């Protein structure tokens, strides 16, 4: 593996660890893993006891770390875990939730 690829992977790992360093974001990952169909911002906020701006803040960080995918559905946004990222960089993490 080339040194540039290793450095790029290290950058990605650092973003992932930063995103998961907050308890609420781990709880959001758990919720999305357990309830993959109840995935709108409103449903996440209601389940987590958070207001919309707080949910949006946490989702932005998770999106930047490429842990989630945000898809517009009319006026709503649907949130999906990118399970390949977890399998590649944190194997076994989702199963431990």
């Amino acid at each position: 593996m080339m040194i540039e690829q290793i450095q790029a992977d290290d950058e990605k790992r650092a973003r992932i660890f930063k995103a998961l360093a907050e308890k609420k974001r781990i709880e959001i990952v758990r919720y999305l893993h357990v309830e993959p169909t109840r995935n709108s911002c409103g449903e996440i906020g209601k389940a987590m006891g958070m207001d919309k701006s707080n949910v949006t803040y946490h989702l932005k960080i998770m999106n930047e770390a490429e842990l989630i995918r945000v898809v517009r559905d009319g006026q709503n946004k649907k949130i999906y875990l990118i399970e390949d990222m977890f399998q590649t960089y944190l194997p076994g993490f989702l199963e431990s939730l």
Side-chain angles (χ1 to χ4, degrees):
M1 187 178 275
M2 296 174 51
I3 193 74
E4 294 85 16
Q5 182 62 42
I6 292 170
Q7 289 174 337
D9 285 347
D10 287 347
E11 287 293 323
K12 191 168 284 199
R13 284 184 183 94
R15 282 194 311 272
I16 290 169
F17 290 137
K18 179 181 176 184
L20 294 175
E22 168 65 43
K23 181 182 171 193
K24 277 292 184 188
R25 290 192 282 271
I26 293 173
E27 291 173 1
I28 291 170
V29 169
R30 179 182 298 117
Y31 176 79
L32 291 171
H33 182 63
V34 173
E35 296 282 352
T37 59
R38 299 186 62 203
N39 58 352
S40 71
C41 289
E43 290 169 321
I44 294 169
K46 188 175 180 179
M48 301 287 111
M50 297 172 9
D51 61 34
K52 183 178 178 178
S53 64
N54 206 349
V55 172
T56 301
Y57 168 75
H58 289 298
L59 293 177
K60 177 182 178 277
I61 292 170
M62 294 170 64
N63 191 39
E64 289 171 355
E66 300 176 29
L67 296 175
I68 61 169
R69 181 172 41 98
V70 180
V71 177
R72 247 199 204 283
D73 182 22
Q75 291 184 345
N76 296 315
K77 292 180 182 177
K78 298 291 187 173
I79 314 302
Y80 300 94
L81 287 180
I82 302 176
E83 295 195 17
D84 289 348
M85 287 294 284
F86 287 93
Q87 298 306 326
T88 300
Y89 294 97
L90 298 168
F93 181 78
L94 294 176
E95 291 76 19
S96 72
L97 300 174

